[in-house]
Amino acid sequence: MMERVYNFSPGPSMLAQSVLEKAQQEMVVYGNTGMSVMEMSHRSKMYTDIYDKTVADLRDLMNIPDTHEVLLLQGGATQQFSAIPLNLMVNGKADYIDSGNFAHLAAEEAKRYGEVNIVASSRDDVYTYIPDWKKGAFTPDADYVHITSNNTIYGTRYVELPEVNAPLVTDASSMILSEVMDVSKFGVIYAGAQKNIGPSGLCVVIVRKDLLGKAKDICPKLLNWEVQAKAGSMYNTPNTYGIYLAGLTFQWVKEMGGVAEMEKINIEKAALLYDFLDNSKLFKATAQKEFRSRMNVTFITGDADKDAAFVKAAAAEGLVNLKGHRSVGGMRASIYNAMPREGVVKLVDFMKKFEAENI
Ligand code: PMP
C-alpha cells in the first residue's frame, strides 16, 4: 500500500490515522452486533447507542450547556445558509458580517427570505482581514447577526466576537473543535463536518433551545430545527456512518486531551508556518497579521509560475493539496486538528529548501 501523504486540503481533509484504523477494524462487524454500522437500522438500540455517545462526547468536548440543542443534520453548511433565515426570521431582518465568500453566500441566500443588512465587508480588499464591525450599524430589531468564525479561503479568523443583542449565529465549519468556544455566547453554531469532525455529508448544528419553534411556514420540514430536535435529528434516515465517524473523531480529540489541548497544539503549528513566512525572502503570508487563521495559512511568492512550481514540487514530496482556492490563487496550507505537527515541520523544511533553490 502507498504511504499516507500529508494532506493540506481545505476539506474534505485529513482524519486522524487512529480514527481511520478503528473504522477499518470495525468496518465489517461492529462490536458484537454481527454487522457493519452502515447496515444498522437508525432506530435500533445498537445504532442509537452510537448516536447518543457521539452527541454526549461533543457536548462534553465543547462544554455545551443544557440551554442548547445538538443536531446532526445533512446538507452541509450550505444547507444551513437557507435553514438559518427559514428558522429565525420572525421580523424578517438579519445582520450579516461579510468576511469571506461563504459569508457572502450565506447573506445572498438569506436575501431570498427577508431583509439583509451587511454590517461590514472586506470584499473589496479580497477579504484579507475581518471587516471592522465596530464601525458598522447593526439593525435594532434584527432576528440574528451572522458571522463566519474562520474564513477558509482567505485564512482569517475572528479574534473578538461582536457584542450584539440579537442572537449571534456563526459558521464554524473550519474552526470547530480547534479552539475553545464559549457556546453560551451563541444562538447558533453550525459546521460542516469535513474539516475537523469527519467525512462530508454531515453538519453539526448547535442551537439555543429558545430559538426553536419560530420557523416560517414555508420552511421545509427537514430544515426545521424544532422538528429535527423533537425527532433526535432523525426525522428521516440520518447519515448514520458519518455520525459514527464523527463519534470516533470526538473520542480521539478526548484522547488528545480535549479542545483546550488541541488549541495549544494548533497555535504552535500555525506559529511554525507564520514565523517562517514572516522571515522568508520568497514567500509572503497574505492575510493581515492580526486576523491570521490557525487552520488555513494562505501565502504567495508573488509569481504565479513559482507558486505552481512550488505546489508541484511539494506534492512530489508527499505534501499535497497546497494550491490556494481558485478565486485567489497562491497557496493555502490547511492544518486542521488531524494534521500532525510533523506534517507542518516537514512543510516548513521543504519551503526552506525551495526558497534556497529559487531565490
Ligand atoms: N462555510 C465555510 C466556512 C466553509 O469553509 C465551507 C466549505 N469549505 C462551507 C461553508 C460550505 O460547506 P459545505 O460544502 O459543507 O456546504
Side-chain angles (χ1 to χ4, degrees):
M1 195 168 56
M2 186 190 166
E3 218 180 296
R4 275 173 65 75
V5 291
Y6 289 115
N7 180 4
F8 293 90
S9 164
S13 38
M14 281 182 88
L15 292 174
Q17 176 122 355
S18 63
V19 165
L20 293 172
E21 284 168 359
K22 184 102 198 277
Q24 182 182 40
Q25 276 164 24
E26 297 178 334
M27 172 96 168
V28 178
V29 176
Y30 176 82
N32 58 5
T33 67
M35 64 177 84
S36 169
V37 173
M38 280 180 269
E39 300 167 310
M40 293 176 186
S41 159
H42 56 297
R43 311 263 178 223
S44 64
K45 172 145 177 22
M46 62 178 88
Y47 184 73
T48 51
D49 282 352
I50 294 173
Y51 180 89
D52 291 344
K53 181 160 169 45
T54 301
V55 171
D57 282 342
L58 182 64
R59 282 196 167 277
D60 221 21
L61 280 170
M62 292 185 69
N63 207 4
I64 301 172
D66 286 344
T67 45
H68 287 62
E69 193 73 55
V70 174
L71 307 175
L72 302 179
L73 306 177
Q74 303 189 51
T78 305
Q79 184 147 279
Q80 295 307 312
F81 295 171
S82 323
I84 290 157
L86 283 163
N87 279 276
L88 296 180
M89 269 191 175
V90 176
N91 297 327
K93 293 177 196 173
D95 286 342
Y96 277 71
I97 300 178
D98 179 23
S99 60
N101 201 45
F102 292 111
H104 173 76
L105 291 174
E108 286 298 307
E109 182 63 16
K111 281 181 191 168
R112 295 157 60 87
Y113 304 105
E115 252 176 68
V116 167
N117 168 37
I118 304 295
V119 175
S121 173
S122 48
R123 190 169 176 82
D124 290 346
D125 294 314
V126 205
Y127 295 121
T128 48
Y129 54 91
I130 301 292
D132 189 359
W133 42 265
K134 284 180 184 157
K135 288 192 191 134
F138 288 89
T139 310
D141 55 345
D143 291 311
Y144 61 92
V145 175
H146 182 281
I147 65 168
T148 311
S149 297
N150 184 81
N151 298 283
T152 324
I153 297 176
Y154 313 91
T156 60
R157 77 183 260 280
Y158 276 74
V159 283
E160 191 187 345
L161 290 178
E163 293 280 341
V164 287
N165 294 325
L168 188 60
V169 176
T170 193
D171 177 351
S173 294
S174 49
M175 57 72 76
I176 194 165
L177 296 177
S178 74
E179 62 179 271
V180 175
M181 295 176 87
D182 180 352
V183 176
S184 70
K185 290 218 162 88
F186 296 92
V188 183
I189 298 173
Y190 67 104
Q194 62 272 25
K195 301 159 200 305
N196 267 336
I197 294 176
S200 60
L202 176 68
C203 186
V204 170
V205 180
I206 302 165
V207 54
R208 217 172 65 206
K209 288 176 183 163
D210 67 302
L211 297 175
L212 299 173
K214 298 171 188 280
K216 287 177 182 289
D217 285 346
I218 58 156
C219 179
K221 269 231 158 103
L222 266 180
L223 304 197
N224 185 318
W225 296 331
E226 188 194 28
V227 169
Q228 288 288 18
K230 282 190 178 148
S233 303
M234 295 196 199
Y235 182 75
N236 72 336
T237 318
N239 177 359
T240 52
Y241 200 71
I243 291 169
Y244 155 74
L245 277 165
L248 292 186
T249 300
F250 298 159
Q251 286 167 39
W252 171 74
V253 177
K254 282 186 146 184
E255 284 156 23
M256 293 291 286
V259 177
E261 202 51 43
M262 288 298 348
E263 178 169 356
K264 271 193 224 156
I265 300 169
N266 288 327
I267 289 172
E268 200 205 328
K269 274 160 40 188
L272 283 170
L273 265 168
Y274 287 122
D275 288 350
F276 168 73
L277 287 168
D278 286 343
N279 292 299
S280 172
K281 292 190 179 67
L282 179 66
F283 298 103
K284 186 174 163 288
T286 51
Q288 279 190 15
K289 214 166 186 171
E290 190 188 343
F291 302 108
R292 284 173 172 177
S293 168
R294 296 169 181 162
M295 296 285 100
N296 313 97
V297 178
T298 48
F299 55 99
I300 50 170
T301 63
D303 171 340
D305 290 341
K306 266 189 192 162
D307 287 353
F310 171 78
V311 169
K312 196 168 166 212
E317 296 292 314
L319 303 162
V320 309
N321 286 323
L322 283 161
K323 196 168 184 281
H325 189 267
R326 59 189 181 280
S327 63
V328 288
M331 278 77 71
R332 168 176 50 173
S334 295
I335 50 172
Y336 301 115
N337 284 352
M339 171 60 68
R341 186 178 182 279
E342 303 86 76
V344 179
V345 170
K346 192 170 171 198
L347 173 60
V348 171
D349 286 347
F350 179 73
M351 289 168 79
K352 282 182 190 156
K353 183 168 161 273
F354 188 88
E355 175 174 296
E357 289 165 359
N358 287 276
I359 201 81

